[in-house]
């Protein structure tokens, strides 16, 4: 078996889009945590997770992958600092995952839409809307 893939990328000040792509196999585990913005996840026909993110300053987006597990989180400033201060702006994520992927999503002040994903799903939103269509789990 190939060694686990571990990749970290950070998107900072510019609101320009950033993207990542990770081979995961047909059953990825996708974990998402953001405050302020939106998350759209849809099932795709490939065995990889694709992420597009746009974050306004001072938000950073950290993406890590280890085998079939992909973790996406947004932080107010560098994620390693875990700053507990208010942030202006927002983070917008668009994620395509294999149809059989499992999802664990937690957001605050953000909307979540999920479509076409059949794996187990845990989607929690505080002060945000949740829409799940064509999915199971």
């Amino acid at each position: 078996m190939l060694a686990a893939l571990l990749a970290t990328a950070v998107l900072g000040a510019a609101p320009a889009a950033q993207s990542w792509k990770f081979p995961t196999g047909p059953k990825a585990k996708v974990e998402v945590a953001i405050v302020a913005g939106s998350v759209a996840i849809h099932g795709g026909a490939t065995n990889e997770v694709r992420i597009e993110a746009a974050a306004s300053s001072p938000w950073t987006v950290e993406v890590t992958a280890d085998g079939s597990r992909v973790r996406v989180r947004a932080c107010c400033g560098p994620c390693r600092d875990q700053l507990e201060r208010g942030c202006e702006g927002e983070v917008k994520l668009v994620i395509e995952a294999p149809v059989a992927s499992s999802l664990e999503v937690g957001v605050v002040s953000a909307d979540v839409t999920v479509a076409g994903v059949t794996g187990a799903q845990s989607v929690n939103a505080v002060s945000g809307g949740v829409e799940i269509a064509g999915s199971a789990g």
Side-chain angles (χ1 to χ4, degrees):
M1 183 171 167
L2 295 174
L5 167 69
L6 177 61
T8 302
V10 176
L11 168 66
Q18 179 75 25
S19 61
W20 299 265
K21 180 170 62 171
F22 301 101
T24 59
K27 293 185 178 182
K29 178 175 184 181
V30 180
E31 301 171 1
V32 179
I34 72 165
V35 175
S38 63
V39 178
I41 303 172
H42 64 277
T46 65
N47 288 332
E48 61 190 19
V49 173
R50 298 177 185 181
I51 302 146
E52 293 184 17
S56 53
S57 184
W59 290 102
T60 59
V61 175
E62 179 182 82
V63 178
T64 58
D66 186 2
S68 63
R69 179 178 176 232
V70 177
R71 182 176 181 211
V72 183
R73 67 181 181 152
C75 303
C76 182
C79 290
R80 70 181 176 278
D81 294 343
Q82 293 296 300
L83 301 175
E84 296 295 329
R85 62 182 166 129
C87 277
E88 298 291 324
E90 65 181 13
V91 176
K92 294 185 178 193
L93 298 174
V94 176
I95 300 170
E96 180 181 323
V99 172
S101 296
S102 62
L103 307 176
E104 188 173 317
V105 180
V107 301
V108 177
S109 297
D111 294 325
V112 179
T113 58
V114 177
V117 179
T118 61
Q121 299 173 29
S122 172
V123 180
N124 298 292
V126 175
S127 185
V130 174
E131 182 179 329
I132 299 176
S135 296

